[in-house]
Amino acid sequence: MRLIEKVWFQGHSAKWWMVPILLPLMVVFAGLSFIRRLAYKIGLLQAVKVSVPVVVVGNIGVGGNGKTPVTLYLVEKLTEQGLKVGVVSRGYGSNAPYYPYQVHAESTAEQAGDEPLLIFQRSGVNVVIGSDRVAGCQLLIEQGCDLIIADDGLQHYRLARDFEFVVVDGKRLFGNGLLLPAGPLRETKQRINHANCVIVNGESSWLKQAHNLDIPALTMQLTANKVVNVKTGESVKLSDFLAQYLVSEYKVNALAGIGDPKRFFNTLEQYGFTIARAQGFVDHQTFTVDDLQSFSEDLPLLMTEKDAVKCASFAQENYWYLPVDAVFLHTSNVENITAVITELVKLVDEHDARDSYELKR
């Protein structure tokens, strides 16, 4: 974790002086963000509404909080309803030969970015990346998509949207509550109330304390039931992996290049692993062979699925990743997310009916 993130989320006492120094820059950032959003609200800047419903999955802060598992969950459930779903993403850290760029089977993480490649490999749906997400949506529409999910698109106001999910990390929440760069927030906490639904990743007391929350709130957990070999693709149940592949008290090495690496390491320990050595990297870390040479080959090296797509080209036999899925466990959560899925399907039906009416006229 970068030092500034320790200040944001852990109140790093040794560097407390960094926040006051950054406050003037925060004021500038807040002013520019307010003016930009106001310009879209009053029509000085025009949001572009594409010809199919757009669903945004985003957050008000920086760093990983579970957006990708939520996107994959929605893709799966909406596909089960018979919809052709596409995903548009900025493709953070990508170096594609052109934009908008459609992710395909031969794409690399360097070309597509780690999360878009992960979404494509897991779901098989059309995924397009590029900073111009309106152009990305048009490409998906040309391929017959009924509905588009904008992954991490909450602040991309040029793209009009029909439904917004805000995902919140139940553990780290909003850090010190300040805007960038003094804190981790891109927008204030009040922005959540302008969305359609908030999803909290992990149990949190925040929902009980958020008395002024005016939108549906759901709690999810990330669960895993298998590990997958990065090099061979072999899939092994977690229980079998613990029993057959590990010796010496289930010891493993672990790495994570995500927003909160410690969360991944805690997850491994909860599943029964003993971590001999854990190393966290910055979010979206571009891995090389040298980054992983210091890990012992005698122990399995466990990583996240997002990290695995960047290590596939030089993976060793002892590299494994832990795929996770978003799960809504409580009955009320399951009923509410089912209702939300139904509402999203209705968006497509209403849109199709509107188009049909326009054609008849």
Side-chain angles (χ1 to χ4, degrees):
M1 181 184 287
R2 294 175 299 172
L3 177 59
I4 188 63
E5 292 179 349
K6 292 181 179 179
V7 175
W8 291 345
F9 293 108
Q10 300 174 5
H12 201 288
S13 57
K15 300 294 181 180
W16 64 268
W17 48 266
M18 294 180 69
V19 171
I21 289 177
L22 294 172
L23 285 176
L25 292 176
M26 183 194 81
V27 173
V28 173
F29 174 84
L32 292 174
S33 297
F34 173 78
I35 292 170
R36 177 172 170 269
R37 190 169 181 204
L38 180 63
Y40 277 105
K41 188 174 182 178
I42 65 178
L44 289 178
L45 293 176
Q46 194 66 44
V48 180
K49 189 169 183 62
V50 299
S51 60
V52 301
V54 172
V55 177
V56 165
V57 177
N59 61 338
I60 62 169
V62 301
N65 52 20
K67 293 187 302 295
T68 299
V70 170
T71 296
L72 287 168
Y73 180 93
L74 293 173
V75 167
E76 178 186 353
K77 297 304 178 184
L78 291 168
T79 300
E80 289 175 357
Q81 296 295 317
L83 299 182
K84 184 173 182 180
V85 183
V87 175
V88 67
S89 171
R90 177 188 172 192
Y92 182 88
S94 65
N95 185 24
Y98 51 85
Y99 294 97
Y101 175 79
Q102 182 164 355
V103 184
H104 53 82
E106 285 73 42
S107 295
T108 64
E110 181 181 5
Q111 293 172 326
D114 48 20
E115 289 168 348
L117 184 59
L118 187 164
I119 292 169
F120 173 78
Q121 291 180 344
R122 278 281 294 270
S123 69
V125 300
N126 294 336
V127 179
V128 172
I129 65 167
S131 59
D132 185 349
R133 269 161 275 199
V134 173
C137 286
Q138 295 296 350
L139 182 54
L140 290 168
I141 292 167
E142 290 171 9
Q143 296 171 1
C145 290
D146 302 309
L147 179 145
I148 295 172
I149 297 176
D151 181 52
D152 198 15
L154 193 65
Q155 287 77 36
H156 192 75
Y157 289 112
R158 182 169 173 262
L159 177 62
R161 65 287 309 266
D162 299 272
F163 200 97
E164 289 182 335
F165 290 95
V166 173
V167 186
V168 174
D169 185 325
K171 177 183 176 184
R172 298 200 301 176
L173 294 175
F174 314 105
N176 60 13
L178 299 176
L179 295 175
L180 289 167
L185 300 185
R186 300 167 179 168
E187 300 184 87
T188 65
K189 290 183 283 186
Q190 286 69 34
R191 171 67 175 88
I192 295 176
N193 268 325
H194 296 283
N196 298 94
C197 181
V198 60
I199 297 177
V200 179
N201 178 9
E203 296 289 343
S204 175
S205 60
W206 173 71
L207 283 178
K208 297 177 182 178
Q209 300 167 358
H211 302 297
N212 61 341
L213 199 60
D214 298 326
I215 62 173
L218 305 173
T219 301
M220 75 170 189
Q221 291 181 348
L222 300 181
T223 63
N225 55 34
K226 64 181 178 181
V227 291
V228 180
N229 190 274
V230 181
K231 184 174 183 178
T232 66
E234 177 189 8
S235 177
V236 181
K237 285 185 178 180
L238 264 177
S239 57
D240 293 342
F241 188 80
L242 285 164
Q244 299 175 19
Y245 285 80
L246 302 179
V247 295
S248 183
E249 299 179 347
Y250 307 134
K251 284 187 178 179
V252 296
N253 289 320
L255 67 84
I258 57 176
D260 185 9
K262 191 174 180 181
R263 184 173 196 143
F264 176 65
F265 305 144
N266 290 340
T267 297
L268 293 179
E269 291 175 343
Q270 290 168 8
Y271 281 120
F273 293 104
T274 299
I275 302 178
R277 181 187 168 208
Q279 184 171 352
F281 295 85
V282 296
D283 198 12
H284 302 288
Q285 170 82 21
T286 300
F287 291 103
T288 66
V289 176
D290 294 339
D291 292 325
L292 278 65
Q293 277 186 341
S294 60
F295 289 100
S296 169
E297 296 183 6
D298 296 331
L299 294 176
L301 175 60
L302 288 183
M303 61 187 72
T304 72
E305 189 172 7
K306 190 168 85 168
D307 297 319
V309 299
K310 294 174 287 189
C311 298
S313 62
F314 55 85
Q316 305 297 311
E317 296 284 351
N318 65 320
Y319 291 9
W320 298 83
Y321 70 86
L322 187 78
V324 295
D325 297 295
V327 176
F328 298 86
L329 296 177
H330 305 303
T331 302
S332 59
N333 280 328
V334 174
E335 291 174 349
N336 288 336
I337 191 63
T338 300
V340 168
I341 297 297
T342 301
E343 187 172 347
L344 297 182
V345 174
K346 283 177 62 179
L347 282 175
V348 178
D349 292 340
E350 291 170 358
H351 182 273
D352 290 345
R354 197 162 52 242
D355 281 355
S356 176
Y357 175 73
E358 293 293 335
L359 285 172
K360 288 178 180 178
R361 288 179 61 191

